[in-house]
Amino acid sequence: NAGVTQTPKFQVLKTGQSMTLQCAQDMNHEYMSWYRQDPGMGLRLIHYSVGAGITDQGEVPNGYNVSRSTTEDFPLRLLSAAPSQTSVYFCASSPWGDQPQHFGDGTRLSIL
Amino acid sequence: AQKITQTQPGMFVQEKEAVTLDCTYDTSDPSYGLFWYKQPSSGEMIFLIYQGSYDQQNATEGRYSLNFQKARKSANLVISASQLGDSAMYFCAMPHGGSQGNLIFGKGTKLSVKP
């Protein structure tokens, strides 16, 4: 059971670089989300999707882009990395209804 | 807008005792749900328990139970017979705008279980 798979697990970037965090789920879930977790801040929603072709902004969307071309994949793109984007990033998915989100193992991103 | 408040940054409990982790929420949605997640030091997010606002009984899952008081807008997590492996961060969360793909989290409570 793969569940939600995030790659890479660790990444170091230089300020101004761009990159894509990958997220894939094999549970045919409609909902997918990206969160960032900073010390003392809990998890904050960046972007989310309620189905293929549909995305929306969360609490902290600036500096990030997403797309949802398939049900399975929900990549998160950093356009021009900034030190303030140093964080742990979690991808999650859930089916319709009152079901819990399944989380990936996270990507620890450091921007120098 | 929805809001989740966890007022206990850290708590200690003796092994085998029960502990209550507080969570209060604010929402104008007539129907909503509350989730609790555990995050051990290894970093993964583990779903523990869910309570729907129209559920007649408090949710229970093994040693976890939810003390849901709708009038007080509180959804406290009770862990019975604490174990050393319960030491972790605990987060309360609820959907924003009715969308399960859009959770709002509290800042969490760090629970430490003492032997």
Side-chain angles (χ1 to χ4, degrees):
Chain A
N1 296 337
V4 179
T5 302
Q6 290 184 238
T7 56
K9 295 189 184 303
F10 303 93
Q11 184 70 48
V12 179
L13 292 177
K14 293 181 180 179
T15 297
Q17 287 184 316
S18 63
M19 81 159 294
T20 298
L21 306 186
Q22 301 291 343
C23 176
Q25 52 96 4
D26 62 357
M27 297 172 283
N28 202 33
H29 286 171
E30 291 295 327
Y31 292 106
M32 295 188 75
S33 312
W34 276 102
Y35 299 87
R36 59 178 289 174
Q37 184 176 27
D38 303 306
M41 295 294 290
L43 278 75
R44 293 183 293 169
L45 184 71
I46 305 172
H47 287 284
Y48 67 102
S49 168
V50 298
I54 306 169
T55 63
D56 205 348
Q57 296 181 350
E59 184 182 359
V60 287
N62 292 341
Y64 307 95
N65 274 358
V66 292
S67 60
R68 183 96 181 271
S69 56
T70 67
T71 299
E72 294 77 20
D73 300 299
F74 191 43
L76 177 72
R77 283 181 287 276
L78 280 72
L79 307 174
S80 179
S84 61
Q85 293 177 305
T86 293
S87 189
V88 180
Y89 291 84
F90 286 97
C91 179
S93 73
S94 60
W96 290 102
D98 296 330
Q99 298 297 317
Q101 287 199 316
H102 299 252
F103 283 81
D105 290 337
T107 294
R108 187 173 296 274
L109 181 63
S110 294
I111 300 166
L112 306 177
Chain B
Q2 282 89 342
K3 184 178 180 181
I4 295 281
T5 303
Q6 295 180 254
T7 57
Q8 306 154 312
M11 288 194 68
F12 288 90
V13 65
Q14 201 69 38
E15 192 178 9
K16 300 182 183 178
E17 292 185 348
V19 63
T20 298
L21 307 183
D22 294 341
C23 172
T24 58
Y25 61 90
D26 191 15
T27 181
S28 56
D29 289 341
S31 176
Y32 53 89
L34 278 302
F35 297 87
W36 276 92
Y37 284 86
K38 173 185 178 181
Q39 186 178 43
S41 58
S42 51
E44 69 270 31
M45 294 291 287
I46 302 168
F47 165 72
L48 294 178
I49 195 167
Y50 168 81
Q51 178 83 46
S53 60
Y54 286 105
D55 292 342
Q56 295 298 313
Q57 292 187 325
N58 287 342
T60 60
E61 289 286 349
R63 294 186 299 109
Y64 304 108
S65 61
L66 216 153
N67 182 4
F68 184 53
Q69 299 185 47
K70 195 171 180 178
R72 298 181 61 182
K73 294 190 175 181
S74 72
N76 299 336
L77 177 70
V78 180
I79 305 174
S80 63
S82 297
Q83 302 172 355
L84 296 179
D86 294 334
S87 294
M89 285 291 293
Y90 289 82
F91 293 96
C92 181
M94 72 184 304
H96 175 60
S99 171
Q100 297 293 91
N102 183 358
L103 286 180
I104 294 177
F105 284 81
K107 293 186 176 182
T109 295
K110 184 175 183 179
L111 178 66
S112 299
V113 181
K114 298 185 292 184

